[in-house]
């Protein structure tokens, strides 16, 4: 789990943590405010601290669904609001969950799902069965080489022995412009 830190001056600039009580992901919300105010993120590839959890830790009171909903809203506000269309990279469970979680306006921007799994690709499309629309929305599924950027990538890294990373690199895309990770 990544950890981040900032100067006291910047902390006061961003504002206090949301102390809404149990179930509020205050660190995630603070981090999003940090980004919205122009804060930077730099990566340090060294372990700088040891974080210990205990059974009564407040972090356990935050529901996964709450974090997911905040992440989707942030994605819609910060990225998708400026895109006319995009492709979701992953025709599996996570990609479909993201699609179902999007606002109807952003669902309409999804031009395709892309994947490497031949069974998913052979299916040809994903039907959004829960939709109230008639006919139900159908989103094409294609191979990643045939997909059009920009991409929202819903693939966990470091789980494919480097295959996903090689596939992404072969497309010569720029992170933050041609794709964003949502995993």
């Amino acid at each position: 789990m990544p950890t981040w830190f900032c100067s006291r001056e910047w902390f006061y600039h961003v504002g206090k943590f949301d102390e809404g009580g149990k179930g509020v992901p205050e660190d995630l919300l603070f981090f999003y405010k940090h980004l919205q105010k122009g804060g930077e993120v730099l990566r340090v590839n060294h372990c700088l601290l040891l974080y210990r959890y205990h059974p009564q830790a407040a972090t356990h009171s935050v529901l996964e669904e709450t974090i997911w909903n905040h992440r989707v809203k942030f994605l819609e506000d910060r990225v998708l609001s400026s895109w006319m269309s995009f492709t979701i990279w992953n025709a599996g469970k996570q990609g479909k969950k993201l699609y179902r979680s999007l606002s109807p306006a952003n669902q309409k921007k999804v031009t395709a799902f892309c994947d490497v799994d031949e069974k998913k690709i052979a299916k040809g499309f994903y039907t959004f069965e829960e939709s109230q629309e008639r006919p139900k929305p159908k989103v094409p599924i294609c191979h990643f080489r045939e997909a059009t950027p920009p991409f929202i990538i819903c693939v966990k890294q470091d789980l494919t022995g480097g295959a996903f990373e090689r596939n992404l690199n072969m497309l010569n895309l720029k992170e933050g412009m041609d794709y964003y990770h949502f995993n």
Side-chain angles (χ1 to χ4, degrees), residues 69-147:
N69 291 339
H70 282 291
R71 291 178 62 225
V72 170
K73 181 172 180 359
F74 187 81
L75 176 70
E76 289 186 310
D77 292 347
R78 293 280 299 208
V79 177
L80 303 183
S81 63
S82 64
W83 286 358
M84 299 301 293
S85 63
F86 64 97
T87 300
I88 296 175
W89 191 320
N90 184 345
K93 190 166 35 171
Q94 286 297 103
K96 291 173 184 174
K97 180 179 179 182
L98 174 61
Y99 177 84
R100 290 189 306 269
S101 300
L102 295 172
S103 68
N106 283 316
Q107 286 174 348
K108 290 185 184 332
K109 294 180 182 182
V110 177
T111 57
F113 288 94
C114 71
D115 212 296
V116 295
D117 184 326
E118 295 299 331
K119 288 182 182 177
K120 293 173 187 162
I121 295 166
K123 190 172 178 191
F125 58 87
Y126 164 68
T127 304
F128 182 29
E129 295 294 345
E130 295 88 356
S131 175
Q132 300 303 311
E133 289 183 47
R134 298 291 183 261
K136 304 243 183 229
K138 291 185 177 190
V139 182
I141 301 172
C142 64
H143 193 276
F144 79 91
R145 286 190 202 107
E146 299 165 4

Coordinates of all heavy atoms in Angstrom, one line a residue, residues 69-147:
N69 N -16.6 4.0 -5.0 CA -17.5 5.1 -5.5 C -16.7 6.4 -5.5 O -16.9 7.2 -6.5 CB -18.7 5.2 -4.6 CG -19.7 4.0 -4.8 OD1 -19.7 3.3 -5.8 ND2 -20.5 3.8 -3.8
H70 N -15.9 6.7 -4.5 CA -15.1 7.9 -4.5 C -14.1 7.9 -5.7 O -13.9 8.9 -6.4 CB -14.3 8.1 -3.2 CG -15.2 8.6 -2.1 ND1 -15.7 9.9 -2.1 CD2 -15.6 8.0 -1.0 CE1 -16.4 10.0 -1.0 NE2 -16.3 8.9 -0.3
R71 N -13.5 6.7 -6.0 CA -12.5 6.6 -7.1 C -13.2 6.8 -8.4 O -12.7 7.5 -9.3 CB -11.9 5.2 -7.0 CG -10.9 5.1 -5.8 CD -10.3 3.7 -5.8 NE -9.5 3.5 -7.0 CZ -9.5 2.3 -7.7 NH1 -10.3 1.3 -7.3 NH2 -8.7 2.2 -8.7
V72 N -14.4 6.3 -8.6 CA -15.1 6.4 -9.9 C -15.5 7.9 -10.0 O -15.3 8.5 -11.1 CB -16.4 5.5 -9.9 CG1 -17.3 5.9 -11.1 CG2 -16.0 4.1 -10.0
K73 N -16.0 8.6 -9.0 CA -16.4 10.0 -9.1 C -15.1 10.8 -9.5 O -15.2 11.7 -10.3 CB -17.0 10.5 -7.8 CG -17.4 11.9 -7.9 CD -18.2 12.4 -6.7 CE -18.6 13.8 -6.8 NZ -18.2 14.7 -7.9
F74 N -14.0 10.5 -8.8 CA -12.8 11.3 -9.1 C -12.4 11.1 -10.6 O -12.0 12.0 -11.3 CB -11.7 10.8 -8.2 CG -10.4 11.7 -8.3 CD1 -10.3 12.9 -7.7 CD2 -9.3 11.2 -9.0 CE1 -9.2 13.7 -7.8 CE2 -8.2 11.9 -9.1 CZ -8.1 13.2 -8.5
L75 N -12.4 9.8 -11.0 CA -12.1 9.5 -12.4 C -13.0 10.3 -13.4 O -12.6 10.9 -14.4 CB -12.2 8.0 -12.7 CG -12.0 7.5 -14.1 CD1 -10.5 7.7 -14.5 CD2 -12.5 6.1 -14.3
E76 N -14.3 10.3 -13.1 CA -15.3 11.0 -14.0 C -15.0 12.5 -14.0 O -15.0 13.1 -15.0 CB -16.7 10.7 -13.5 CG -17.1 9.2 -13.8 CD -18.6 9.0 -13.5 OE1 -19.1 9.3 -12.4 OE2 -19.3 8.4 -14.4
D77 N -14.8 13.0 -12.8 CA -14.5 14.5 -12.7 C -13.2 14.9 -13.3 O -13.1 15.9 -14.0 CB -14.6 14.9 -11.3 CG -16.0 14.8 -10.6 OD1 -16.9 14.6 -11.4 OD2 -16.0 14.9 -9.4
R78 N -12.1 14.2 -13.1 CA -10.8 14.6 -13.4 C -10.4 14.1 -14.8 O -9.5 14.8 -15.4 CB -9.8 14.1 -12.4 CG -9.9 14.7 -11.1 CD -9.3 16.1 -11.0 NE -7.8 16.0 -11.3 CZ -6.9 16.8 -10.9 NH1 -7.3 17.8 -10.1 NH2 -5.7 16.6 -11.2
V79 N -10.9 13.0 -15.3 CA -10.4 12.5 -16.6 C -11.5 12.4 -17.6 O -11.4 13.0 -18.7 CB -9.8 11.1 -16.4 CG1 -9.3 10.4 -17.7 CG2 -8.6 11.1 -15.4
L80 N -12.6 11.7 -17.3 CA -13.6 11.4 -18.3 C -14.4 12.7 -18.7 O -14.9 12.7 -19.9 CB -14.6 10.3 -17.8 CG -13.9 9.0 -17.4 CD1 -15.0 8.0 -17.0 CD2 -13.0 8.5 -18.5
S81 N -14.4 13.7 -17.9 CA -15.1 14.9 -18.2 C -14.5 15.6 -19.5 O -15.1 16.3 -20.2 CB -15.1 15.9 -17.1 OG -13.8 16.3 -16.7
S82 N -13.2 15.3 -19.7 CA -12.5 16.0 -20.9 C -12.4 15.0 -22.1 O -11.8 15.4 -23.1 CB -11.2 16.5 -20.4 OG -10.3 15.4 -20.1
W83 N -12.8 13.8 -21.9 CA -12.8 12.9 -23.1 C -14.1 12.7 -23.7 O -15.1 12.6 -23.1 CB -12.3 11.5 -22.6 CG -10.9 11.4 -22.2 CD1 -9.9 12.3 -22.3 CD2 -10.2 10.2 -21.7 NE1 -8.7 11.8 -21.9 CE2 -8.9 10.5 -21.5 CE3 -10.7 8.9 -21.3 CZ2 -8.0 9.6 -21.0 CZ3 -9.8 8.0 -20.8 CH2 -8.4 8.4 -20.6
M84 N -14.1 12.7 -25.1 CA -15.3 12.5 -25.8 C -15.7 11.0 -25.9 O -16.8 10.6 -26.0 CB -15.1 13.0 -27.3 CG -14.8 14.5 -27.3 SD -16.1 15.5 -26.5 CE -17.5 15.2 -27.7
S85 N -14.6 10.1 -25.9 CA -14.9 8.7 -25.9 C -13.6 8.0 -25.3 O -12.6 8.6 -25.2 CB -15.1 8.2 -27.4 OG -13.9 8.4 -28.1
F86 N -13.7 6.7 -25.0 CA -12.6 6.0 -24.5 C -12.9 4.5 -24.5 O -14.1 4.1 -24.7 CB -12.3 6.4 -23.0 CG -13.3 6.2 -22.0 CD1 -13.3 5.0 -21.2 CD2 -14.4 7.0 -21.9 CE1 -14.3 4.8 -20.2 CE2 -15.4 6.8 -20.9 CZ -15.3 5.7 -20.1
T87 N -11.9 3.7 -24.3 CA -11.9 2.2 -24.3 C -11.6 1.8 -22.9 O -10.6 2.3 -22.3 CB -10.9 1.6 -25.3 OG1 -11.3 2.1 -26.6 CG2 -11.0 0.1 -25.3
I88 N -12.3 0.8 -22.4 CA -12.0 0.2 -21.1 C -11.1 -1.1 -21.4 O -11.6 -2.0 -22.1 CB -13.2 -0.2 -20.3 CG1 -14.0 1.0 -19.9 CG2 -12.8 -1.0 -19.1 CD1 -15.3 0.7 -19.2
W89 N -9.9 -1.1 -20.9 CA -9.0 -2.2 -21.1 C -9.3 -3.2 -20.0 O -8.8 -3.1 -18.9 CB -7.6 -1.7 -21.1 CG -6.5 -2.8 -21.5 CD1 -6.5 -4.1 -21.2 CD2 -5.4 -2.5 -22.3 NE1 -5.4 -4.7 -21.8 CE2 -4.7 -3.7 -22.4 CE3 -4.8 -1.4 -22.8 CZ2 -3.5 -3.8 -23.2 CZ3 -3.6 -1.5 -23.5 CH2 -3.0 -2.7 -23.7
N90 N -10.1 -4.2 -20.3 CA -10.4 -5.4 -19.5 C -11.9 -5.6 -19.7 O -12.7 -4.9 -19.2 CB -10.1 -5.1 -18.0 CG -10.4 -6.4 -17.2 OD1 -11.0 -7.3 -17.6 ND2 -9.9 -6.4 -15.9
A91 N -12.2 -6.7 -20.4 CA -13.5 -7.1 -20.6 C -14.0 -8.1 -19.6 O -15.1 -8.7 -19.7 CB -13.7 -7.8 -22.0
G92 N -13.2 -8.2 -18.5 CA -13.6 -9.1 -17.4 C -14.4 -8.4 -16.3 O -15.0 -7.3 -16.5
K93 N -14.3 -8.9 -15.1 CA -15.1 -8.5 -14.0 C -14.8 -7.0 -13.6 O -15.8 -6.2 -13.5 CB -14.8 -9.4 -12.8 CG -15.7 -9.2 -11.6 CD -15.7 -10.2 -10.5 CE -14.4 -10.9 -10.3 NZ -14.4 -11.7 -9.1
Q94 N -13.6 -6.6 -13.5 CA -13.3 -5.2 -13.1 C -13.7 -4.2 -14.2 O -14.2 -3.2 -13.8 CB -11.8 -5.1 -12.8 CG -11.4 -5.7 -11.4 CD -12.1 -5.1 -10.2 OE1 -13.0 -5.6 -9.7 NE2 -11.6 -3.9 -9.8
G95 N -13.4 -4.5 -15.4 CA -13.8 -3.6 -16.5 C -15.3 -3.4 -16.6 O -15.8 -2.3 -16.7
K96 N -16.1 -4.5 -16.4 CA -17.5 -4.4 -16.4 C -18.1 -3.7 -15.2 O -19.0 -2.9 -15.3 CB -18.1 -5.8 -16.6 CG -17.9 -6.5 -17.9 CD -18.3 -7.9 -17.9 CE -18.0 -8.6 -19.2 NZ -18.3 -10.0 -19.2
K97 N -17.4 -3.9 -14.1 CA -17.8 -3.2 -12.9 C -17.7 -1.7 -13.0 O -18.5 -0.9 -12.7 CB -17.1 -3.7 -11.6 CG -17.4 -3.0 -10.4 CD -16.7 -3.5 -9.2 CE -17.1 -2.8 -7.9 NZ -16.3 -3.2 -6.7
L98 N -16.5 -1.3 -13.6 CA -16.3 0.1 -13.9 C -17.4 0.6 -14.8 O -18.0 1.7 -14.5 CB -14.9 0.3 -14.5 CG -14.7 1.8 -14.9 CD1 -14.8 2.8 -13.7 CD2 -13.3 1.9 -15.6
Y99 N -17.6 -0.1 -15.9 CA -18.7 0.4 -16.8 C -20.0 0.6 -16.1 O -20.7 1.6 -16.3 CB -18.8 -0.6 -18.0 CG -19.9 -0.2 -18.9 CD1 -19.7 0.7 -20.0 CD2 -21.2 -0.8 -18.8 CE1 -20.7 1.0 -20.9 CE2 -22.2 -0.4 -19.7 CZ -21.9 0.5 -20.7 OH -22.9 0.8 -21.6
R100 N -20.4 -0.4 -15.3 CA -21.7 -0.3 -14.6 C -21.7 0.8 -13.6 O -22.8 1.4 -13.3 CB -22.0 -1.6 -13.9 CG -22.4 -2.7 -14.9 CD -22.9 -4.0 -14.2 NE -22.0 -4.5 -13.1 CZ -21.1 -5.4 -13.3 NH1 -20.9 -5.9 -14.5 NH2 -20.4 -5.8 -12.3
S101 N -20.6 1.2 -13.1 CA -20.5 2.3 -12.1 C -20.5 3.7 -12.6 O -20.7 4.6 -11.9 CB -19.2 2.1 -11.2 OG -19.2 0.8 -10.6
L102 N -20.2 3.8 -13.9 CA -20.1 5.1 -14.6 C -21.5 5.7 -14.7 O -22.5 5.0 -14.7 CB -19.5 5.0 -16.0 CG -18.1 4.5 -16.1 CD1 -17.7 4.3 -17.5 CD2 -17.1 5.5 -15.4
S103 N -21.5 7.1 -14.8 CA -22.8 7.8 -15.0 C -23.3 7.4 -16.4 O -22.5 7.0 -17.3 CB -22.6 9.3 -14.9 OG -21.8 9.7 -16.0
P104 N -24.6 7.5 -16.7 CA -25.1 7.1 -18.0 C -24.3 7.9 -19.1 O -24.1 7.4 -20.2 CB -26.6 7.5 -17.9 CG -26.9 7.3 -16.5 CD -25.7 7.8 -15.7
A105 N -24.0 9.2 -18.9 CA -23.3 10.0 -19.9 C -22.0 9.4 -20.2 O -21.5 9.4 -21.4 CB -23.2 11.4 -19.4
N106 N -21.2 9.0 -19.2 CA -19.9 8.4 -19.4 C -20.0 7.0 -19.9 O -19.1 6.5 -20.7 CB -19.1 8.4 -18.1 CG -18.5 9.8 -17.9 OD1 -18.0 10.5 -18.8 ND2 -18.6 10.3 -16.7
Q107 N -21.1 6.2 -19.6 CA -21.2 4.9 -20.2 C -21.4 5.1 -21.8 O -20.8 4.2 -22.5 CB -22.5 4.2 -19.7 CG -22.3 3.7 -18.3 CD -23.6 3.2 -17.7 OE1 -24.7 3.4 -18.3 NE2 -23.5 2.5 -16.6
K108 N -22.0 6.1 -22.2 CA -22.2 6.3 -23.6 C -20.9 6.7 -24.3 O -20.8 6.5 -25.5 CB -23.2 7.4 -23.9 CG -24.7 7.0 -23.5 CD -25.7 8.1 -23.9 CE -27.1 7.8 -23.4 NZ -27.5 6.4 -23.3
K109 N -19.9 7.1 -23.6 CA -18.6 7.4 -24.2 C -17.7 6.2 -24.4 O -16.7 6.3 -25.1 CB -17.8 8.4 -23.2 CG -18.4 9.8 -23.1 CD -17.6 10.6 -22.2 CE -18.1 12.0 -21.9 NZ -17.2 12.8 -21.0
V110 N -18.1 5.1 -23.8 CA -17.3 3.9 -23.9 C -17.5 3.3 -25.3 O -18.6 2.9 -25.7 CB -17.7 2.8 -22.8 CG1 -16.9 1.5 -23.0 CG2 -17.4 3.4 -21.4
T111 N -16.4 3.3 -26.1 CA -16.5 2.8 -27.5 C -16.3 1.3 -27.6 O -16.8 0.6 -28.5 CB -15.5 3.5 -28.4 OG1 -14.2 3.3 -27.9 CG2 -15.8 5.0 -28.5
A112 N -15.6 0.7 -26.6 CA -15.3 -0.7 -26.6 C -14.6 -1.1 -25.3 O -14.1 -0.3 -24.5 CB -14.4 -1.1 -27.8
F113 N -14.6 -2.4 -25.1 CA -13.8 -3.1 -24.1 C -12.7 -3.7 -24.9 O -12.9 -4.2 -26.0 CB -14.5 -4.2 -23.3 CG -15.5 -3.7 -22.4 CD1 -16.8 -3.6 -22.7 CD2 -15.1 -3.5 -21.0 CE1 -17.8 -3.2 -21.8 CE2 -16.1 -3.0 -20.1 CZ -17.4 -2.9 -20.5
C114 N -11.5 -3.8 -24.4 CA -10.4 -4.5 -25.1 C -9.8 -5.5 -24.1 O -9.9 -5.3 -22.9 CB -9.4 -3.6 -25.8 SG -8.3 -2.8 -24.6
D115 N -9.2 -6.6 -24.7 CA -8.7 -7.6 -23.8 C -7.7 -8.5 -24.7 O -7.5 -8.2 -25.9 CB -9.9 -8.5 -23.4 CG -9.6 -9.1 -22.0 OD1 -8.7 -9.9 -21.8 OD2 -10.4 -8.8 -21.0
V116 N -7.1 -9.5 -24.1 CA -6.3 -10.5 -24.8 C -7.0 -11.8 -24.8 O -6.5 -12.7 -25.5 CB -4.9 -10.6 -24.2 CG1 -4.1 -9.3 -24.4 CG2 -4.9 -11.0 -22.7
D117 N -8.0 -12.0 -23.9 CA -8.6 -13.3 -23.7 C -9.5 -13.6 -25.0 O -10.5 -12.9 -25.2 CB -9.5 -13.3 -22.5 CG -10.1 -14.6 -22.2 OD1 -10.5 -15.3 -23.1 OD2 -10.3 -14.9 -21.0
E118 N -9.1 -14.6 -25.7 CA -9.8 -15.0 -27.0 C -11.3 -15.3 -26.8 O -12.1 -15.0 -27.6 CB -9.1 -16.1 -27.7 CG -7.7 -15.8 -28.2 CD -7.7 -14.6 -29.2 OE1 -8.6 -14.4 -29.9 OE2 -6.6 -13.9 -29.2
K119 N -11.6 -15.9 -25.6 CA -13.0 -16.2 -25.3 C -13.9 -15.0 -25.2 O -15.0 -14.9 -25.7 CB -13.2 -17.1 -24.1 CG -12.7 -18.5 -24.3 CD -12.9 -19.3 -23.0 CE -12.3 -20.7 -23.1 NZ -12.4 -21.5 -21.9
K120 N -13.3 -14.0 -24.5 CA -14.1 -12.7 -24.3 C -14.2 -12.0 -25.6 O -15.3 -11.5 -26.0 CB -13.4 -11.8 -23.3 CG -13.4 -12.4 -21.9 CD -12.6 -11.6 -20.9 CE -12.5 -12.2 -19.6 NZ -11.4 -11.8 -18.8
I121 N -13.1 -12.0 -26.4 CA -13.1 -11.3 -27.7 C -14.1 -12.0 -28.6 O -14.9 -11.3 -29.4 CB -11.7 -11.3 -28.3 CG1 -10.8 -10.4 -27.4 CG2 -11.7 -10.7 -29.7 CD1 -9.3 -10.6 -27.7
A122 N -14.1 -13.3 -28.6 CA -15.0 -14.1 -29.5 C -16.5 -13.8 -29.2 O -17.3 -13.9 -30.1 CB -14.7 -15.6 -29.4
K123 N -16.8 -13.5 -28.0 CA -18.2 -13.2 -27.6 C -18.7 -11.9 -28.4 O -19.8 -11.8 -28.7 CB -18.3 -12.9 -26.1 CG -19.7 -12.8 -25.6 CD -19.7 -12.8 -24.1 CE -21.1 -12.6 -23.6 NZ -21.2 -12.4 -22.2
G124 N -17.7 -11.0 -28.7 CA -18.1 -9.9 -29.6 C -18.6 -8.6 -28.9 O -18.3 -7.5 -29.4
F125 N -19.3 -8.8 -27.8 CA -19.8 -7.6 -27.2 C -20.2 -7.9 -25.7 O -20.4 -9.1 -25.4 CB -21.0 -7.0 -27.9 CG -22.1 -8.0 -28.1 CD1 -23.1 -8.1 -27.2 CD2 -22.2 -8.8 -29.3 CE1 -24.2 -9.0 -27.3 CE2 -23.2 -9.7 -29.4 CZ -24.2 -9.8 -28.4
Y126 N -20.4 -6.8 -24.9 CA -20.9 -6.9 -23.6 C -22.3 -6.3 -23.6 O -22.4 -5.1 -24.0 CB -20.0 -6.2 -22.6 CG -20.6 -6.0 -21.2 CD1 -21.0 -7.0 -20.4 CD2 -20.9 -4.7 -20.8 CE1 -21.6 -6.7 -19.1 CE2 -21.5 -4.4 -19.6 CZ -21.8 -5.4 -18.8 OH -22.4 -5.2 -17.6
T127 N -23.3 -7.0 -23.1 CA -24.6 -6.4 -22.9 C -24.9 -6.0 -21.5 O -24.7 -6.8 -20.6 CB -25.7 -7.4 -23.3 OG1 -25.5 -7.9 -24.6 CG2 -27.1 -6.8 -23.3
F128 N -25.2 -4.7 -21.3 CA -25.5 -4.2 -20.0 C -26.9 -4.5 -19.6 O -27.8 -3.8 -19.8 CB -25.2 -2.7 -20.0 CG -25.4 -2.0 -18.7 CD1 -25.2 -2.6 -17.5 CD2 -25.8 -0.7 -18.6 CE1 -25.4 -2.0 -16.2 CE2 -26.0 0.0 -17.4 CZ -25.8 -0.7 -16.2
E129 N -27.1 -5.7 -19.0 CA -28.4 -6.2 -18.7 C -29.1 -5.4 -17.7 O -30.4 -5.4 -17.7 CB -28.2 -7.7 -18.2 CG -27.7 -8.7 -19.3 CD -28.7 -8.9 -20.4 OE1 -29.9 -8.5 -20.4 OE2 -28.2 -9.4 -21.5
E130 N -28.4 -4.8 -16.7 CA -29.1 -4.0 -15.7 C -29.7 -2.7 -16.2 O -30.4 -2.0 -15.4 CB -28.1 -3.8 -14.5 CG -27.7 -5.0 -13.8 CD -26.4 -5.6 -14.4 OE1 -26.0 -5.1 -15.5 OE2 -26.0 -6.6 -13.9
S131 N -29.3 -2.3 -17.4 CA -29.8 -1.0 -17.9 C -31.3 -1.0 -18.1 O -31.9 -2.0 -18.4 CB -29.1 -0.8 -19.3 OG -29.6 0.4 -19.8
Q132 N -31.9 0.2 -17.9 CA -33.3 0.4 -18.1 C -33.6 0.7 -19.5 O -34.7 0.8 -20.0 CB -33.8 1.5 -17.2 CG -33.6 1.3 -15.7 CD -34.3 0.0 -15.2 OE1 -35.5 -0.3 -15.5 NE2 -33.5 -0.9 -14.5
E133 N -32.5 1.0 -20.3 CA -32.7 1.4 -21.7 C -33.2 0.2 -22.5 O -32.9 -1.0 -22.2 CB -31.3 1.8 -22.3 CG -30.9 3.1 -21.9 CD -29.6 3.5 -22.6 OE1 -29.5 3.4 -23.8 OE2 -28.6 4.0 -21.9
R134 N -33.9 0.5 -23.6 CA -34.4 -0.5 -24.5 C -34.0 0.0 -25.9 O -34.4 1.1 -26.2 CB -35.9 -0.8 -24.4 CG -36.3 -1.4 -23.1 CD -35.8 -2.8 -22.9 NE -36.2 -3.4 -21.6 CZ -35.5 -3.4 -20.5 NH1 -34.3 -2.9 -20.5 NH2 -35.9 -3.9 -19.4
P135 N -33.3 -0.7 -26.7 CA -32.7 -2.0 -26.4 C -31.5 -1.8 -25.4 O -31.0 -0.7 -25.3 CB -32.1 -2.5 -27.8 CG -32.0 -1.2 -28.6 CD -33.0 -0.2 -28.1
K136 N -31.1 -2.9 -24.8 CA -30.0 -2.8 -23.8 C -28.7 -2.4 -24.5 O -28.5 -2.8 -25.6 CB -29.9 -4.1 -23.1 CG -31.1 -4.7 -22.5 CD -31.0 -4.8 -21.0 CE -32.2 -5.4 -20.4 NZ -32.7 -4.7 -19.3
P137 N -27.9 -1.5 -23.9 CA -26.7 -1.1 -24.5 C -25.7 -2.3 -24.7 O -25.6 -3.2 -23.8 CB -26.1 -0.2 -23.5 CG -27.2 0.3 -22.6 CD -28.2 -0.8 -22.6
K138 N -25.1 -2.4 -25.8 CA -24.1 -3.4 -26.2 C -22.8 -2.7 -26.5 O -22.8 -1.8 -27.4 CB -24.6 -4.3 -27.3 CG -25.8 -5.1 -27.0 CD -26.1 -6.1 -28.2 CE -27.2 -7.0 -27.7 NZ -27.5 -8.1 -28.7
V139 N -21.7 -3.1 -25.8 CA -20.4 -2.5 -26.0 C -19.5 -3.6 -26.7 O -19.4 -4.7 -26.2 CB -19.8 -2.0 -24.7 CG1 -18.5 -1.4 -24.9 CG2 -20.8 -1.1 -24.0
P140 N -18.9 -3.2 -27.8 CA -18.0 -4.2 -28.5 C -16.9 -4.6 -27.6 O -16.4 -3.8 -26.8 CB -17.6 -3.4 -29.7 CG -18.5 -2.3 -29.9 CD -19.0 -2.0 -28.6
I141 N -16.4 -5.8 -27.9 CA -15.1 -6.3 -27.2 C -14.2 -6.6 -28.4 O -14.5 -7.4 -29.3 CB -15.4 -7.6 -26.4 CG1 -16.4 -7.3 -25.3 CG2 -14.1 -8.1 -25.8 CD1 -16.9 -8.5 -24.5
C142 N -13.0 -6.1 -28.3 CA -12.0 -6.3 -29.3 C -10.6 -6.6 -28.7 O -10.4 -6.5 -27.5 CB -11.9 -5.1 -30.2 SG -11.3 -3.6 -29.4
H143 N -9.7 -7.1 -29.5 CA -8.3 -7.3 -29.1 C -7.7 -5.9 -28.8 O -8.0 -4.9 -29.5 CB -7.5 -8.1 -30.1 CG -6.2 -8.6 -29.6 ND1 -5.1 -7.8 -29.6 CD2 -5.9 -9.8 -29.1 CE1 -4.1 -8.5 -29.1 NE2 -4.6 -9.7 -28.8
F144 N -6.8 -5.9 -27.8 CA -6.2 -4.6 -27.5 C -5.5 -3.9 -28.7 O -5.4 -2.7 -28.7 CB -5.2 -4.7 -26.3 CG -3.9 -5.2 -26.6 CD1 -2.8 -4.4 -26.9 CD2 -3.6 -6.6 -26.6 CE1 -1.6 -4.9 -27.2 CE2 -2.4 -7.1 -26.9 CZ -1.3 -6.2 -27.2
R145 N -4.9 -4.7 -29.6 CA -4.2 -4.1 -30.7 C -5.2 -3.4 -31.7 O -4.8 -2.5 -32.5 CB -3.5 -5.2 -31.5 CG -2.2 -5.6 -30.8 CD -1.4 -6.5 -31.7 NE -0.5 -7.3 -30.9 CZ -0.6 -8.6 -30.8 NH1 -1.6 -9.3 -31.3 NH2 0.2 -9.3 -30.0
E146 N -6.5 -3.7 -31.6 CA -7.5 -3.1 -32.5 C -8.2 -2.0 -31.8 O -9.1 -1.3 -32.4 CB -8.5 -4.2 -32.9 CG -7.9 -5.3 -33.7 CD -8.8 -6.5 -33.9 OE1 -9.9 -6.5 -33.4 OE2 -8.3 -7.5 -34.4
A147 N -7.9 -1.8 -30.5 CA -8.7 -0.8 -29.8 C -8.1 0.6 -30.0 O -7.0 0.8 -30.4 CB -8.6 -1.1 -28.3

